[in-house]
Structure formats: structure tokens, C-alpha cells
Amino acid sequence: MEQIQFPKDFLWGSATASFQIEGAGEPAQRGESIWDRYCRTPGNILDGSDGKTACDHFHRFEEDVRLMEQLGLHSYRLSVSWPRILPEGMGRVHQDGLNFYKRLLECLRTHRIQPLVTLYHWDLPQRLQERGGWQNRETVDAFVAYAEILFRELRPWVNNWVTFNEPYCTAFLGHWVGRHAPGIRDYAAAVQVSHHLLLAHGKTVRLLRQTTPNAKIGIVLNMNSYYPHQNTEEDRRAAEWNYQAWNSWFADPIFKGGYPQEVLALYEAEGLAPRREPGDMALIHQPIDFLGLNHYFSETVSANPDVWPTRSETHPLGDTRTAMGWGVYPQGIHDLLARLDRDYQHPPIFITENGAAYPDHPAEDGLVRDPERQDYLARYLYQVHRAIREGVDVRGYYLWSLMDNFEWAFGYTKRFGIVYVDYATQARTVKQSGHWYANVIQNNGFVYDGAGQPAEASKANPS
Ligand code: FCB
């Protein structure tokens, strides 16, 4: 048994995103987003669902904030829906949409919960997609204009802003794999989009510095750890290439002012390199106040010259899998933090997402027992703590997610919450892992059995 104690003032929170929980998706309530459109194409969403109602958080936010208070959260990470503020993406402001966020933020203030507000968690206004979306450089300025409205209107409530959530996903899942909106499959487009997202990030940071100098701003990057599948030179190189193509591709421009050389060289040779204008890299390379890190899983990588353009294949790593098929390998988060520390002069890091989906359901006594999630969280938190002990500056942790919600292409089939949502009645039930997390927050730590399994969870889940 080991008592894990986090540093004084460690920030404990939980995260959600607008499209995944809000609902209120009728045309009078918000403009169409690329996710509304994507959901309408049969076959895109596993259960054929959409975000029209989701968790109905739009109408139930007071109850949800009370739940956050009950769990003892210090901070809540939420995102703003761009088409709820600007139904056409620019121009006319939808006042009711703005008022919704003001009421939500006021409610958080009443309950002493600090907001961390993400400007973009994937719900681009469809009208902008029709003009080319993130492939069109003009979208960068449309984004900055949207950010300006939020900075001005929400300034009384918000001190901490995130420009983008996981630009990797918007760029590559949305424009290469096609499993996220807008569902495009064009590698060069994905690379171009990544550059525009980074540029929009940089311009928005500059705007905040000019208009609201006391507020803080950062970006949220999702990163995986990659290890060679076999201990060969080819696999070691393939693992490193993947690290650079998916992680450093976004972090290097921000912290070093340039794209990783090896990846850029390959893209140049293949005609995939992004078009850049003079001054772009300097805009992207600006000091930020914190780095948000989203981490869920690790992979091994094997070299495979037949796979274009990555010349490699990835395989889940870990002793068990979550309902997403993601390997559970807690050491991955430690290794990632250690490497970020080696690679960059970075600002304080917040884990802005970490968590797991499991097929939860309420038992006859009404309780939702989810020992695997508790086990996952304890093991990952142990590794975060280990990195902190070794000197990495991690200041807080946001669990994904506060409640079960719309998991993108998987619809409502994957439950990530520490609060169970019965979608038929919208009733919320705190899962056992939620009660455990409340305890962790209260004690600023937990007892870990040292063998990799928290005592209580391993008894309930002997496998
Ligand atoms: C991340 C997303 C978040 C959620 C989790 C499971 O990639 O940021 O919205 O879907 O994965």
C-alpha cells in the first residue's frame, strides 16, 4: 500500500464538450454544425444517432453544476459551440446562445467552480464548411473574429481559455481517415488543415494578449506514447516517426517554431507539405500559459513499407482493453510527460482529458459499479504522480468525462462518464468511480496498492 499525495493546490476537474452534451440542436437554438451534417449521413454514426438532444445539458445545466459541486470539482472544462454563437459562422450573433453560456458560467461561479473554456471542440459551423472549412485559410480569420466575441462577452467569468481541442483529430480524423466530420479522405488536405488550425491558434493567442492581458490561454493536444513493436532498428524508427508525425507535428511549431524535419521532408517529397505564408511560423510560435494534454492509450509500431504515407502500422498496447479497444498501459502517460519535459521548454501542463469507456449499467439496487474505470483512473493517476515526483510541472487533472455522452462516430454506445446518464429519462447517477474520484479530490490523493491494482478494484475484478 502506498499513499499517493498530490502537490498542494493541484487542480482537480472534469471535462465535457458542447456537441457531446448540450442538445438543444434545433435550428432556432443553434446554427448547423459539421457534426449535425455528418450525423445525417447513414453509416457515419454507429447507432445512427445525433447531437440534437444528447444529455440535454442546455436545459439541465443547473442540476449538472450541482453534481459537479457534489463531486468536489475545483474546475470544469467545457467548450463553446461556435454555431450557437454565430449560426452562420460569422456576422449575426445569436444572443440567446451567448446568454446560455453566461448563465452557465454564472452558475459555476455561484458554486465556486473555475471554468476552463475551449473555443473549438470540433463543431465548426456548416456554413463555413461550405466555403472550404479548415482547408480554406479564410476560416482562420473567421475563428479569430468568433474568439474576439467570446473574449469580450465572457471576460467577466473566464480567466482560462483553450484555443483548440486536439487539432490532430480535426485534421487527420476529419480530413484523412474520414471518421470525424467533415468526413474527407485526403492526406494533403489534412496536413493543410493542421497548419491552419495552428495558425488560428497563434492569431488567437496574439488577440488575447492585446485585448485581455490578464487572462491565460493554452492549447489542448492529444498525444499517445509509441514503442517499437519489436526491438529492431526499423521498428524503433517507425515508432519515432509516428511520435513525430502525430505529437511533435503539433507541439514543435508551438514550442520550437518549426515542423519536425523528418516528417516535413517526407511530406515535401510526397507533395503533402502545407502551404505556409511568411510570418506564419512566428505567429504559431508564441508563448502560451499552459499546455493541455489529452492522453488515453499507447501503441506499438511496426515498420511496413507498403502503408502510405506512414510506412508503419500501429497496434494497441496494454494488459487489457477499454470498450473503445484502446490498450490500458498507464506507464504511457508517464513516459509522455517525461519526454515532453526533455523536448521542450514548456509552460505548466494540465492533463485536460484522461479516462476510459466501459459498458456500464445500473444494477438492480440502482448502483452503477464500474471497477475497471476506477482501476484505470488509479493506475493512470499513479503514473501522473510519478512524473510529478520526477519533476515534471503538472498542475491539474481533468477526467474525461463528467457524464456519459455522445461519443462522436460511436454515438451513445460508449460510456466515458463518472456519472451515468439514462438517455430515456435523462436521469443522472453518480457511478462508483465518481464516488471514488470525489474521495481522491477530497484527500488530494489516494491509497494505491503498489502492485498496479488499487485494492478495492482488483478484488472486484480479479481478471
Ligand atoms: C477525445 C475527445 C473527447 C472524447 C474523448 C473520448 O479525443 O477530445 O471529445 O471524445 O476523446
Side-chain angles (χ1 to χ4, degrees):
M1 297 283 190
E2 196 181 339
Q3 176 66 40
I4 303 300
Q5 207 59 45
F6 280 80
K8 189 171 156 288
D9 297 330
F10 193 77
L11 196 74
W12 294 100
S14 186
T16 64
S18 49
F19 192 82
Q20 294 179 278
I21 66 164
E22 285 176 1
E26 297 305 322
Q29 296 167 306
R30 62 164 158 75
E32 190 186 7
S33 83
I34 54 173
W35 271 95
D36 292 307
R37 184 64 64 93
Y38 187 76
C39 289
R40 285 220 302 273
T41 303
N44 278 350
I45 310 297
L46 191 61
D47 56 3
S49 64
D50 58 37
K52 288 258 147 49
T53 308
C55 307
D56 197 28
H57 173 73
F58 185 89
H59 297 108
R60 293 165 199 264
F61 71 88
E62 285 167 326
E63 176 188 351
D64 292 336
V65 173
R66 278 198 300 275
L67 267 173
M68 295 176 210
E69 183 180 46
Q70 209 180 304
L71 291 166
L73 300 188
H74 306 157
S75 181
Y76 172 51
R77 175 172 174 240
L78 64 124
S79 79
V80 174
S81 157
W82 183 349
R84 201 184 289 292
I85 305 295
L86 293 158
E88 283 92 39
M90 40 193 189
R92 177 178 68 91
V93 173
H94 180 230
Q95 205 56 47
D96 287 353
L98 207 46
N99 289 342
F100 162 67
Y101 292 105
K102 290 184 180 175
R103 284 185 291 130
L104 166 60
L105 291 163
E106 185 56 36
C107 184
L108 287 166
R109 171 144 77 195
T110 309
H111 293 270
R112 292 194 186 76
I113 298 167
Q114 251 186 70
L116 171 60
V117 178
T118 305
L119 296 168
Y120 188 80
H121 200 126
W122 307 353
D123 37 3
L124 182 76
Q126 177 63 30
R127 288 289 276 276
L128 295 181
Q129 188 58 44
E130 273 139 33
R131 297 154 156 246
W134 287 112
Q135 285 173 262
N136 180 351
R137 198 175 158 104
E138 286 173 15
T139 300
V140 172
D141 291 324
F143 179 78
V144 177
Y146 154 67
E148 188 171 14
I149 294 168
L150 294 189
F151 291 163
R152 190 178 58 235
E153 295 284 338
L154 305 184
R155 190 184 349 231
W157 295 271
V158 185
N159 268 319
N160 295 291
W161 298 93
V162 166
T163 52
F164 286 90
N165 178 68
E166 304 190 349
Y168 160 84
C169 293
T170 300
F172 289 94
L173 299 185
H175 297 80
W176 163 235
V177 185
R179 293 300 292 130
H180 274 191
I184 291 166
R185 305 194 53 147
D186 173 344
Y187 203 98
V191 176
Q192 188 61 53
V193 165
S194 65
H195 182 69
H196 288 156
L197 294 170
L198 286 167
L199 184 60
H201 159 80
K203 285 196 169 185
T204 305
V205 171
R206 184 180 63 180
L207 172 74
L208 187 88
R209 302 296 184 219
Q210 290 163 349
T211 59
T212 326
N214 293 329
K216 296 196 160 138
I217 193 159
I219 189 167
V220 164
L221 303 179
N222 58 304
M223 295 191 181
N224 307 328
S225 271
Y226 297 97
Y227 304 87
H229 196 62
Q230 284 180 328
N231 195 13
T232 60
E233 182 55 26
E234 289 75 24
D235 286 7
R236 276 197 295 277
R237 286 184 58 136
E240 179 56 21
W241 196 89
N242 275 261
Y243 187 93
Q244 294 198 19
W246 314 131
N247 297 345
S248 319
W249 184 256
F250 296 92
D252 275 15
I254 293 170
F255 295 123
K256 294 182 168 170
Y259 288 107
Q261 271 314 317
E262 203 187 326
V263 181
L264 188 61
L266 176 89
Y267 289 173
E268 268 160 2
E270 303 264 352
L272 301 170
R275 284 183 307 283
R276 285 149 285 167
E277 291 185 8
D280 283 4
M281 297 318 285
L283 268 169
I284 297 169
H285 179 42
Q286 283 184 69
I288 51 175
D289 301 303
F290 59 89
L291 170 66
L293 176 67
N294 289 1
H295 176 80
Y296 289 93
F297 58 87
S298 297
E299 290 177 325
T300 63
V301 185
S302 46
N304 182 347
D306 298 335
V307 181
W308 183 88
T310 67
R311 288 148 173 98
S312 58
E313 281 174 294
T314 56
H315 318 271
L317 169 64
D319 47 11
T320 55
R321 305 268 176 96
T322 71
M324 297 293 282
W326 297 343
V328 179
Y329 187 72
Q331 195 185 314
I333 199 166
H334 165 272
D335 295 353
L336 196 52
L337 288 165
R339 173 142 186 200
L340 286 172
D341 222 35
R342 278 200 307 279
D343 283 358
Y344 308 116
Q345 292 278 28
H346 62 82
I349 296 175
F350 288 83
I351 307 299
T352 35
E353 287 182 29
N354 173 239
Y358 289 104
D360 311 307
H361 49 84
E364 272 186 8
D365 59 7
L367 295 180
V368 184
R369 295 180 178 80
D370 56 343
E372 294 134 305
R373 179 171 295 101
Q374 183 180 318
D375 184 51
Y376 177 101
L377 295 171
R379 294 172 69 197
Y380 274 75
L381 278 171
Y382 176 81
Q383 295 290 338
V384 171
H385 182 263
R386 192 179 143 211
I388 295 173
R389 239 172 20 218
E390 291 168 7
V392 187
D393 187 6
V394 183
R395 303 276 179 97
Y397 177 90
Y398 291 82
L399 192 159
W400 185 272
S401 177
L402 174 68
M403 55 185 150
D404 297 335
N405 57 49
F406 177 79
E407 180 47 34
W408 309 112
F410 295 89
Y412 297 95
T413 67
K414 305 292 178 214
R415 294 180 175 274
F416 272 92
I418 48 171
V419 173
Y420 182 89
V421 177
D422 176 340
Y423 294 111
T425 62
Q426 292 293 352
R428 276 81 161 132
T429 308
V430 178
K431 301 179 191 176
Q432 296 295 85
S433 63
H435 293 296
W436 176 82
Y437 189 54
N439 247 299
V440 173
I441 297 176
Q442 209 181 12
N443 298 320
N444 198 30
F446 59 97
V447 176
Y448 186 71
D449 83 351
Q453 304 282 330
E456 207 188 298
S458 55
K459 242 181 281 147
N461 180 28
S463 65

